[in-house]
Amino acid sequence: AQTVTQSQPEMSVQEAETVTLSCTYDTSESDYYLFWYKQPPSRQMILVIRQEAYKQQNATENRFSVNFQKAAKSFSLKISDSQLGDAAMYFCAYSRGNKLVFGAGTILRVKS
Amino acid sequence: GAVVSQHPSWVICKSGTSVKIECRSLDFQATTMFWYRQFPKQSLMLMATSNEGSKATYEQGVEKDKFLINHASLTLSTLTVTSAHPEDSSFYICSAHEAGLAGYTFGSGTRLTVV
């Protein structure tokens, strides 16, 4: 079975600084998708970024970028120029077929 | 972009009663919908997967007679918590998947409190 591991229960970052959230996963498949979702206090799940495993180029969305290491099965999220609105719980997720498997989540706190 | 509407956003019910939660895809056809349960500061736990016109597939440990799922159309799935008890109090989230696309769209969630 596929598993997703987020080893950082909580992280803190100073406003305007950069933070990296870690994620590793386990799969025997070669074609799959990886996601980072943000869940703010409203609890609405918001897609931050998506990576297709067959693409070697790391996905980027404005201040958010990933470091996808397929061989190492690692998928970290880098948030640059952190803003107060980035404070949330972040979930890493894996998908193959139509089912999402989530990691345990990382609470990100942003200090002003 | 794709929008999923989940209703109600919160509900309080008495122990022993049933509660229905609706999940609608507003601008796309959701061939598959998922129902999750989430406890505070924890991850989303998949309860079941529903495909339009067929029976839902429940995850291990989820009581299918307690959590009834119906996916009667390509835009609507419902979760009914039958004979609710206080331990069923939780946050329930649905998500929808459009065939051929890699994305998942989430509803805004329902906070269920059973008293």
Side-chain angles (χ1 to χ4, degrees), chain A residues 33-40 43-51 59 61-62 64 66 75 77 89-95 100 102, chain B residues 2 101-107:
Chain A
Y33 291 87
L34 295 165
F35 305 82
W36 278 99
Y37 282 92
K38 168 184 178 181
Q39 189 179 40
R43 302 189 81 170
Q44 171 71 57
M45 294 289 284
I46 301 167
L47 176 65
V48 175
I49 205 164
R50 180 179 73 195
Q51 175 81 42
E61 287 288 340
N62 301 314
F64 299 87
V66 297
F75 183 61
L77 174 69
M89 192 147 184
Y90 286 81
F91 293 100
C92 178
Y94 164 100
S95 170
L100 269 179
F102 286 95
Chain B
L101 301 181
Y104 300 80
T105 306
F106 287 81

Side-chain angles (χ1 to χ4, degrees), chain B residues 54-70:
Chain B
S54 61
K55 289 184 178 180
T57 301
Y58 290 82
E59 296 298 303
Q60 192 172 5
V62 177
E63 299 175 60
K64 61 180 181 181
D65 293 332
K66 179 165 194 60
F67 299 100
L68 299 179
I69 291 171
N70 183 278

Side-chain angles (χ1 to χ4, degrees), chain B residues 9-76:
Chain B
S9 56
W10 62 270
V11 58
I12 301 173
C13 72
K14 290 186 177 180
S15 188
T17 62
S18 295
V19 174
K20 180 184 284 188
I21 302 170
E22 291 189 349
C23 181
R24 293 180 183 272
S25 57
L26 298 186
D27 49 3
F28 68 99
Q29 293 185 328
T31 50
T32 307
M33 286 191 175
F34 306 88
W35 288 95
Y36 298 87
R37 184 172 181 175
Q38 185 182 30
F39 293 104
K41 296 189 178 182
Q42 293 189 23
S43 188
L44 281 69
M45 181 187 76
L46 180 65
M47 299 175 65
T49 302
S50 74
N51 293 294
E52 184 263 339
S54 61
K55 289 184 178 180
T57 301
Y58 290 82
E59 296 298 303
Q60 192 172 5
V62 177
E63 299 175 60
K64 61 180 181 181
D65 293 332
K66 179 165 194 60
F67 299 100
L68 299 179
I69 291 171
N70 183 278
H71 192 163
S73 75
L74 284 172
T75 59
L76 174 65

Side-chain angles (χ1 to χ4, degrees), chain A residues 16-105:
Chain A
E17 298 290 306
T18 295
V19 65
T20 299
L21 307 184
S22 301
C23 173
T24 58
Y25 58 95
D26 185 27
T27 184
S28 58
E29 305 295 338
S30 60
D31 189 18
Y32 49 87
Y33 291 87
L34 295 165
F35 305 82
W36 278 99
Y37 282 92
K38 168 184 178 181
Q39 189 179 40
S42 68
R43 302 189 81 170
Q44 171 71 57
M45 294 289 284
I46 301 167
L47 176 65
V48 175
I49 205 164
R50 180 179 73 195
Q51 175 81 42
E52 296 164 85
Y54 65 87
K55 289 188 176 178
Q56 293 185 335
Q57 186 172 6
N58 289 323
T60 298
E61 287 288 340
N62 301 314
R63 298 183 293 107
F64 299 87
S65 61
V66 297
N67 183 2
F68 174 47
Q69 302 289 329
K70 191 173 184 179
K73 297 179 183 175
S74 171
F75 183 61
S76 60
L77 174 69
K78 184 171 82 173
I79 306 174
S80 304
D81 185 25
S82 296
Q83 301 175 359
L84 294 177
D86 295 333
M89 192 147 184
Y90 286 81
F91 293 100
C92 178
Y94 164 100
S95 170
R96 187 180 184 276
N98 67 357
K99 188 184 289 191
L100 269 179
V101 177
F102 286 95

